[in-house]
């Protein structure tokens, strides 16, 4: 949002953000920070074998207290997740009270873990003064068994079986559960539930807005236990550190209590009987056990509303959570506050989207932004406590100290952070996180900066400089994109206000120096400037499982690992040049990263000084190489994103920035003079481009033309919906690798994975991935900035149409947007062949932002709510309209 100096002109949401940033009001304290799945996570796994899904299954979740976090439907909580709110539902037919989203574990799904519910994040503003999501709840018994059985029956060559295919939403026999939050004040939370019967006949429903404490007491012998107590028709909060709050349920039929504690007698056949447990409301309603709940006190409370909703009608339920004693008339101005906050949200987005005139694009962008805001989550993980176990619990198996995350004993995380997806990936992932923050920065720049700094703090970053990859294995390696994200945030603020935040840039840069050094020391073990990287987030993209030891006696030289480091070097160089504008000490550091970039570029052309190049002149493409122990070297001729990532290592620098850097200029000129063969491989430093820019790039004009000829060919990488992760050439020409008893085949698969490599729950062998497309477009734009509008290539290949690089960027952006945009027939490719989603007025404008997309049809695949990085479409829409 543009800055303004006149306080009277500041929009209400902008003023709230200012108050939060200046710590005058805690507007960010309460938000939708509750996960949608805590069961089956690493944090809750205390097994010897590390089988997280098996140790804490969905069937335990209603009866077993969580140690490290909470989950719920449409949940809201404070920033330390001491007190939570969420919605529970029962249609009178389900075997389970619906308190959380259901889905399949990694072993139950034919393509890995997968949520089997239909819900949408529809709106939110950064302070959560207004937020809205929609959950679709069937009126028939929820098809738990059918979903399990049918997905178990299907193989990897078949698509996943989704809930909409069960027929349970046919004839519109379901409820739309509209969940809205509004804030009357920073600590005054209004919840409004609108339950609409979309079916033709009246249907019963039980609605339970719930409030409960995260269990912080059962694990210790000396922790105080908080309490929720009934006072007349309200509930008051007794908590040692959170303070006094009051909860008001308007017109509840009953207010009942239980305890957020494990039902050990039910789960394990041991423990004290006759107490109130976490599953009390389930037992009370579904099981008919009146003794399962209490009426006066507990650590979990619910207002119980028994309603029968006529066909096509709706009912409204209202709840208020506010700081201080109970209010005398808590619902007197409820509707007015909601109308006001909704209007303020509309005004906020009207300004943010003022250049986007197309209504459908505004809808897509606003829902993508909503997904990013709804996907922030409280993440709590103290690795030492997790490994050692708790005083009041049985001691975990000793083998855990040699297993997962055992080298990360410094990690003590208890923060609100952006998540890829609050059901399938309810934990941070280091490279996903960077992309999330680039979208979040459009809405809440200060929080985005805070989170990027957070990742480098001593309770996240390893003392050796490694960044934690993701909860499942902190020691895995993700692409180093944090410096890129820092630059993007800096440039966004500079464009918005006229001045970038150099203090922020310094803080991030200092931490990334440690991380860069870790990469150099650990991932280039022979000191050849060729980086292995391993996993690098791209699951099954290649011939081998890159997170495991090679099945052959050799070493894989990764084009992408080395290219990510070339990109990292340029990002760090660009930051150093920016910081050197007012601190000359950074000139020497800039020289160091200039040198790193040149050395990496040289290594990619002459591996180990043996004349081997990752670039193949015959094919005009970059490949990985397999170097056997006996010295035999073989290129792995798979045309995949691995060969496009060298294009990300590009930077243009304006000449005026270099005029203030005499020391850097002298040292740079030394390299250009005394290392000319090295410099000419990657640099056009001495040749000014358009607008007097200088170019550093692994892929220069000739090579970029060759690569673009592949990228822009519909028979290779170019899809109607973006750039595929594997060339379509490999559909009819699979790449086969054989050595001894090992055989591997890489074939173009546009949708779900057909192999078990890396668990089979992802696919980088054909589908479209939003973040990689985003980086590719950015790289093309940087080349466009240097070469200008006269540099043109054929796009699409075979069309005879010559486009400038800038025009190609716009073309690729539009193709990515087309995944979500209605086509000429009114259909959205993201919905695939699901007719109800395409045509039903209660489905067709509610969008899902998936993990990845079918390389031929644009259909959404993988995690269905990964608005972490797929929300980049919001940035793409904004950039297209600048």
């Amino acid at each position: 949002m543009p800055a303004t100096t006149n306080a009277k002109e500041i929009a209400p949401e902008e003023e709230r953000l200012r108050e939060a940033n200046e710590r005058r009001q805690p507007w960010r304290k309460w938000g939708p920070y509750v996960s949608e799945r805590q069961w089956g996570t690493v944090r809750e796994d205390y097994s010897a074998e590390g089988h997280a899904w098996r140790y804490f299954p969905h069937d335990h979740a209603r009866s077993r207290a969580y140690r490290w976090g909470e989950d719920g439907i449409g949940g809201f909580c404070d920033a330390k997740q001491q007190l939570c709110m969420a919605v529970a539902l029962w249609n009178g037919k389900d075997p389970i009270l619906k308190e959380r989203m259901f889905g399949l574990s990694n072993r139950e799904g034919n393509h890995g873990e997968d949520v089997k519910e239909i819900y949408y994040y529809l709106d939110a503003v950064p302070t959560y003064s207004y937020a809205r999501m929609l959950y679709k709840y069937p009126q028939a018994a929820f098809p738990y068994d059918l979903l399990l059985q049918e997905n178990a029956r299907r193989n990897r060559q078949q698509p996943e079986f989704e809930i909409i295919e069960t027929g349970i939403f046919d004839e519109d026999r379901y409820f739309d559960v509209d969940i809205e939050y509004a804030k009357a004040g920073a600590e005054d939370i209004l919840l409004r539930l609108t339950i609409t019967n979309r079916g033709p006949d009246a249907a019963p429903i039980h609605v339970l807005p719930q409030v409960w404490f995260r269990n912080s007491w059962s694990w210790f012998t000396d922790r105080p236990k908080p309490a929720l107590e009934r006072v007349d028709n309200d509930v008051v909060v007794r908590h040692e550190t959170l303070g006094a709050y009051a909860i008001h349920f308007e017109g509840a039929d009953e207010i009942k209590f239980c305890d957020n504690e494990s039902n050990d007698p039910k789960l394990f056949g041991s423990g004290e009987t006759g107490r109130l447990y976490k599953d009390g409301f389930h037992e009370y309603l579904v099981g008919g056990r009146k003794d399962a709940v209490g009426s006066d006190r507990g650590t979990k409370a619910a207002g119980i509303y028994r309603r029968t909703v006529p066909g096509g009608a709706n009912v409204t339920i209202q709840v208020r959570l506010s700081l201080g004693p109970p209010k005398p008339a808590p619902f007197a101005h409820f509707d007015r506050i909601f109308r006001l906050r909704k209007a303020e949200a509309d005004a906020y987005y009207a300004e943010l989207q003022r250049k986007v005139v197309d209504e459908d694009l505004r809808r897509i962008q606003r829902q993508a932004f909503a997904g990013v805001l709804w996907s922030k989550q409280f993440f709590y993980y103290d690795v030492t406590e997790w490994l050692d176990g708790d005083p009041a619990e049985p001691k975990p198996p000793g083998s855990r100290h040699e297993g997962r995350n055992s080298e990360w004993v410094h990690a003590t995380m208890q923060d609100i952070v952006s998540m890829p997806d609050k059901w399938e990936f309810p934990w941070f992932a280091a490279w996903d996180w960077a992309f999330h923050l680039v979208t979040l920065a459009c809405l809440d720049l200060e929080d985005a900066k805070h989170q990027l700094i957070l990742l480098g703090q001593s309770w996240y970053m390893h003392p050796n400089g490694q960044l934690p990859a993701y909860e499942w294995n902190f020691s895995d390696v993700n692409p180093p994109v944090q410096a890129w994200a820092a630059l993007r945030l800096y440039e966004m603020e500079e464009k918005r206000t006229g001045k970038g935040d150099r203090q922020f840039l310094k803080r991030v840069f200092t931490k990334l120096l440690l991380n860069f050094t870790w990469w150099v020391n650990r991932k280039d073990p022979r000191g050849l400037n060729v980086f292995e990287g391993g996993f690098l987030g791209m699951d099954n993209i290649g011939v081998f499982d890159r997170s495991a030891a090679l099945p052959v006696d050799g070493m894989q030289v990764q084009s992408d690992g080395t290219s990510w480091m070339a990109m990292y070097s340029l990002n760090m160089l660009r930051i150093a040049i920016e910081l050197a504008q007012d601190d000359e000490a950074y000139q020497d550091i800039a020289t160091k990263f200039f040198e790193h970039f040149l050395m990496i570029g040289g290594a990619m052309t002459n591996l180990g000084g043996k004349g081997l190049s990752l670039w193949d002149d015959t094919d005009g493409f970059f490949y990985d190489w397999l170097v056997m122990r006996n010295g035999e070297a073989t290129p792995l001729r798979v045309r995949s994103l691995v060969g496009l990532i060298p294009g990300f290592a590009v930077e243009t620098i304006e000449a005026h920035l270099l005029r203030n850097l005499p020391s850097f200029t002298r040292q740079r000129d030394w390299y250009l003079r005394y290392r000319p063969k090295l410099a000419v491989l990657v640099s056009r430093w001495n040749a000014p481009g358009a607008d007097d820019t200088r170019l550093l790039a692994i892929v220069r004009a000739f090579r970029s033309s060759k690569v673009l000829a592949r990228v822009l060919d519909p028979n290779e990488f170019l899809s109607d919906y973006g750039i595929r992760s594997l060339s379509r050439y490999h559909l009819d020409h699979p790449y086969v690798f054989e050595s001894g008893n090992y055989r591997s085949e890489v074939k173009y698969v546009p949708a779900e994975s057909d192999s078990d490599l890396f668990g089979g729950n992802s696919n980088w062998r054909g589908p479209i991935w939003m973040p990689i497309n985003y980086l590719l477009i950015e790289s093309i734009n940087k080349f466009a900035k240097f070469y200008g509008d006269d540099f043109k290539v054929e796009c699409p290949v075979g069309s005879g149409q010559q486009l400038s690089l800038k025009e190609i960027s716009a073309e690729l952006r539009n193709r990515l947007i087309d995944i979500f945009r209605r086509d000429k027939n009114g259909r959205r490719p993201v919905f695939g062949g699901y007719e109800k989603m395409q045509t039903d007025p209660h489905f067709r404008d509610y969008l899902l932002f998936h993990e990845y997309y079918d390389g031929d049809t644009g259909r959404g695949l993988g995690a269905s709510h990964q608005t972490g990085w797929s929300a980049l479409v919001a940035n793409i829409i904004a950039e297209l309209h600048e």
Side-chain angles (χ1 to χ4, degrees):
M1 298 287 287
T4 177
T5 57
N6 187 342
K8 294 182 180 179
E9 297 177 0
I10 296 177
E13 179 60 15
E14 286 293 321
E15 178 60 24
R16 285 189 284 267
L17 279 172
R18 175 181 289 187
E19 290 177 348
N21 294 337
E22 296 173 358
R23 303 195 177 191
R24 289 185 282 135
Q25 289 288 338
W27 285 105
R28 295 191 188 92
K29 180 176 179 178
W30 292 86
Y33 308 141
V34 180
S35 177
E36 281 153 6
R37 177 176 65 83
Q38 184 69 14
W39 58 274
T41 61
V42 166
R43 282 161 289 162
E44 302 298 336
D45 176 18
Y46 283 81
S47 68
E49 305 82 11
H51 295 313
W53 290 104
R54 197 179 303 163
Y55 181 79
F56 202 135
H58 174 265
D59 196 46
H60 280 198
R62 66 182 176 276
S63 303
R64 187 168 162 185
Y66 297 125
R67 170 64 174 87
W68 297 99
E70 296 293 334
D71 59 19
I73 298 174
F76 225 70
C77 70
D78 64 279
K80 295 298 181 183
Q81 201 172 86
Q82 298 167 102
L83 185 66
C84 304
M85 304 173 66
V87 180
L89 304 159
W90 189 50
N91 58 17
K93 300 174 183 176
D94 281 345
I96 301 172
L97 177 66
K98 177 63 69 174
E99 294 179 281
R100 57 191 50 81
M101 305 293 185
F102 171 73
L104 306 184
S105 73
N106 193 24
R107 294 185 178 276
E108 291 171 335
N110 62 324
H111 293 286
E113 63 269 25
D114 187 30
V115 68
K116 298 298 182 184
E117 307 269 13
I118 297 180
Y119 58 102
Y120 309 90
Y121 306 125
L122 296 182
D123 209 357
V125 291
T127 64
Y128 304 106
S129 59
Y130 182 75
R132 179 188 173 208
M133 72 169 284
L134 178 67
Y135 173 68
K136 291 184 178 285
Y137 184 50
Q139 293 172 6
F142 197 89
Y144 292 107
D145 291 340
L146 177 58
L147 289 165
L148 284 165
Q149 293 163 6
E150 179 60 21
N151 278 283
R153 186 187 66 79
R154 295 189 179 192
N155 59 38
R156 293 196 184 279
Q157 282 67 46
Q158 295 174 291
E160 296 170 345
F161 180 64
E162 303 295 356
I163 188 172
I164 199 163
E165 298 175 72
T166 67
I168 203 163
F169 293 101
D170 293 353
E171 299 179 349
D172 296 328
R173 295 184 184 276
Y174 69 92
F175 295 102
D176 264 344
V177 182
D178 211 330
I179 305 168
E180 293 178 284
Y181 290 95
K183 291 184 180 179
E187 299 195 66
D188 191 352
I189 317 301
L190 281 58
L191 168 62
R192 182 169 67 187
L193 305 174
T194 306
I195 319 296
T196 304
N197 181 354
R198 295 295 180 199
D201 303 319
I205 188 170
H206 298 69
V207 184
L208 286 77
Q210 301 184 108
V211 182
W212 74 98
F213 294 110
R214 175 171 58 85
N215 189 324
S216 59
W217 59 90
S218 291
W219 329 107
F220 305 94
T221 57
D222 58 351
R223 296 290 173 88
K225 182 177 177 178
L228 298 168
E229 296 179 353
R230 182 159 186 167
V231 176
D232 298 326
N233 289 321
D234 302 315
V235 175
V236 297
V237 175
R238 313 289 189 198
H239 192 282
E240 189 176 51
T241 59
L242 183 62
Y245 286 78
I247 302 142
H248 309 272
F249 298 100
E250 184 187 44
D253 297 317
E254 298 178 274
I255 296 176
K256 295 295 183 181
F257 296 81
C258 59
D259 271 324
N260 185 22
E261 297 178 6
S262 295
N263 189 340
D264 289 339
K266 177 180 179 180
L267 292 165
F268 311 114
S270 62
E272 185 180 347
T273 59
R275 295 177 50 205
L276 304 182
Y277 298 109
K278 178 181 177 179
D279 55 10
F281 302 138
H282 163 83
E283 293 292 338
Y284 178 59
L285 291 177
V286 181
R289 284 189 49 220
K290 294 185 178 181
D291 62 343
V293 296
S295 299
D296 301 311
R297 181 184 173 94
T299 51
K300 184 177 179 182
I304 300 176
Y305 298 79
R306 295 178 172 86
R307 299 289 184 267
T308 297
V309 187
N314 64 67
V315 296
T316 300
I317 292 165
Q318 301 185 145
V319 181
R320 189 167 191 166
L321 167 68
S322 57
L323 183 64
K327 295 181 178 297
F331 302 102
H333 304 290
F334 214 84
D335 289 342
R336 182 183 64 81
I337 293 169
F338 265 97
R339 284 195 302 272
L340 178 62
R341 294 294 180 258
K342 179 63 167 65
E344 290 169 351
D346 290 342
Y348 173 80
Y349 280 106
E351 174 62 17
L352 190 69
Q353 299 179 310
R354 63 190 182 281
K355 295 182 180 179
V356 182
V357 296
D358 182 271
E359 181 182 355
D360 200 35
L361 289 188
R362 292 164 71 95
R363 179 184 296 111
I364 295 166
Q365 188 183 50
R366 187 162 174 174
Q367 289 186 37
F369 282 144
V372 165
L373 292 171
W374 271 93
S375 294
K376 286 164 67 174
Q377 180 188 314
F378 173 74
F379 184 80
Y380 182 26
Y381 191 16
D382 184 320
V383 174
T384 297
E385 285 191 4
W386 178 74
L387 290 170
D388 291 344
D390 298 317
E393 293 291 299
K395 194 171 182 62
S399 59
R400 288 163 54 81
H401 282 275
E402 305 298 327
R404 175 183 292 134
N405 297 336
S406 58
E407 297 178 355
W408 292 79
V409 293
H410 70 285
T412 309
M413 303 147 176
Q414 192 172 180
D415 303 287
I416 303 297
V417 298
S418 293
M419 298 293 173
D421 175 312
K422 290 205 294 187
W423 194 94
E424 193 158 326
F425 300 98
W427 51 73
F428 74 85
W431 79 307
D432 302 55
W433 200 348
F435 294 111
H436 309 168
L437 299 183
V438 169
T439 301
L440 179 63
C442 298
L443 306 164
D444 191 348
L445 182 60
E446 290 305 312
D447 188 49
K449 291 191 295 184
H450 162 75
Q451 289 194 49
L452 194 56
I453 290 170
L454 184 66
L455 183 59
Q457 295 297 329
S458 58
W459 54 94
Y460 282 83
M461 178 182 279
H462 197 281
N464 65 19
Q466 184 179 8
L467 293 175
Y470 59 113
E471 179 181 305
W472 210 256
N473 185 357
F474 281 162
S475 294
D476 258 340
V477 183
N478 286 167
V481 292
Q482 290 74 33
W484 166 82
L487 272 172
R488 286 304 308 262
L489 268 56
Y490 179 85
E491 291 165 355
M492 290 169 77
E493 184 165 14
E494 186 176 43
K495 183 175 181 180
R496 191 177 302 177
T497 68
K499 185 178 181 180
D501 184 350
R502 285 186 179 163
Q503 188 62 32
F504 154 74
L505 211 53
K506 285 181 181 179
R507 292 189 67 184
V508 174
F509 186 73
T510 300
K511 294 295 186 179
L512 292 180
L513 284 173
L514 300 175
N515 179 246
F516 189 93
T517 303
W518 175 84
W519 271 90
V520 171
N521 290 338
R522 297 296 182 93
K523 294 301 176 181
D524 178 23
R526 295 162 300 151
L528 300 176
N529 294 291
V530 177
F531 295 85
E532 296 174 12
F535 164 52
L536 286 178
M538 294 186 180
D539 301 4
N540 65 346
I541 197 167
V543 173
F544 307 113
D545 182 344
R546 301 191 300 175
S547 65
L550 282 180
V552 296
D553 189 17
M555 179 192 73
Q556 184 177 1
V557 178
Q558 293 182 221
S559 178
D560 58 334
T562 306
S563 300
W564 284 120
M565 281 302 288
M567 175 184 169
Y568 198 178
S569 298
L570 282 184
N571 295 152
M572 295 293 276
L573 168 63
R574 182 66 183 79
I575 293 174
I577 287 174
E578 187 64 39
L579 296 177
Q581 298 302 305
D582 56 16
D583 187 341
E584 63 180 21
Y586 286 94
Q587 294 189 54
D588 290 337
I589 302 176
T591 302
K592 186 63 178 173
F593 285 107
F594 182 74
E595 178 186 21
H596 271 295
F597 178 70
L598 293 180
M599 297 298 288
I600 292 170
M604 292 179 71
T605 304
N606 184 11
L607 296 175
K610 298 180 180 179
L612 303 176
S613 174
L614 296 178
W615 171 260
D616 188 291
D617 274 323
T618 302
D619 288 1
F621 206 71
F622 287 93
Y623 295 122
D624 284 354
W625 279 72
L626 179 67
V627 181
M628 304 298 286
R629 188 178 294 275
N630 63 10
E632 179 185 347
T634 305
L636 303 174
R637 297 182 184 278
V638 179
R639 295 210 283 268
S640 73
L641 286 178
V642 166
L644 303 186
I645 290 171
F648 299 167
V650 55
E651 189 60 72
T652 56
I653 301 175
E654 295 82 359
H656 73 86
L657 291 174
L658 302 173
R659 297 189 189 110
N660 299 328
L661 310 179
S663 174
F664 171 73
T665 301
R666 286 194 301 272
Q667 295 176 76
R668 176 207 69 195
D669 290 345
W670 185 93
Y671 276 104
L672 298 179
R673 186 179 305 114
Y674 293 102
R675 300 287 187 271
K677 291 182 180 179
L678 190 62
V680 77
L681 292 173
V682 296
S683 172
R684 289 292 298 272
W685 197 268
N686 282 337
D691 299 323
D692 201 18
T693 53
R694 299 296 188 271
L695 177 72
L696 282 173
I698 293 292
V699 185
R700 286 175 47 201
F702 172 76
R703 290 182 179 178
S704 63
S705 296
K706 291 288 188 181
V707 172
L708 281 172
R710 303 275 191 202
V711 169
L712 302 176
D713 187 342
N715 295 315
E716 293 224 28
F717 287 96
L718 185 64
S719 163
D720 288 343
Y721 306 102
I723 302 303
R724 303 176 174 108
S725 48
L726 186 74
S727 171
R728 204 172 187 278
Y729 168 84
H730 291 301
L731 175 63
D732 298 320
H733 306 88
Y735 179 82
V736 177
F737 175 85
E738 293 182 289
S739 179
N741 295 325
Y742 181 80
R743 184 183 188 278
S744 178
E745 179 179 284
V746 179
K747 182 178 182 179
Y748 173 76
V749 181
E752 293 94 343
S753 173
D754 63 355
S755 81
D756 287 334
L757 198 66
F758 205 85
N761 61 340
S762 185
N763 191 12
W764 289 83
R765 295 185 172 183
I768 295 154
W769 293 78
M770 191 68 68
I772 300 296
N773 273 257
Y774 190 78
L775 290 178
L776 181 62
I777 290 170
E778 185 176 88
S779 295
I780 292 172
N781 274 332
K782 288 180 179 179
F783 282 114
K785 186 175 181 180
F786 180 80
Y787 289 114
D789 292 339
D790 293 335
F791 186 94
K792 296 189 176 185
V793 297
E794 187 180 26
C795 179
V797 169
S799 69
Q801 177 178 250
Q802 297 290 317
L803 298 180
S804 70
L805 295 178
K806 186 176 180 180
E807 290 170 330
I808 289 169
S809 294
E811 174 68 19
L812 293 179
R813 285 188 177 116
N814 271 304
R815 288 180 184 232
L816 290 166
I817 294 168
D818 282 346
I819 292 172
F820 309 97
R821 180 164 40 195
R822 285 199 191 118
D823 63 18
K824 61 183 179 182
N825 298 314
R827 302 177 73 84
R828 301 186 192 274
V830 66
F831 294 151
Y834 297 129
E835 198 62 27
K836 194 171 189 67
M837 289 184 165
Q838 294 285 11
T839 60
D840 191 306
H842 301 299
F843 282 81
R844 66 188 182 198
D845 287 336
Y846 300 141
L847 298 169
L848 296 174
F849 298 87
H850 290 256
E851 187 180 0
Y852 49 100
Y853 303 88
D854 189 296
D856 292 341
T857 69
R859 177 172 61 96
L861 301 164
S864 55
H865 293 76
Q866 195 148 352
T867 39
W869 61 18
S870 282
L872 284 166
V873 70
N875 299 66
I876 290 169
I877 290 170
E879 291 159 9
L880 193 63
H881 288 81
E882 286 179 353

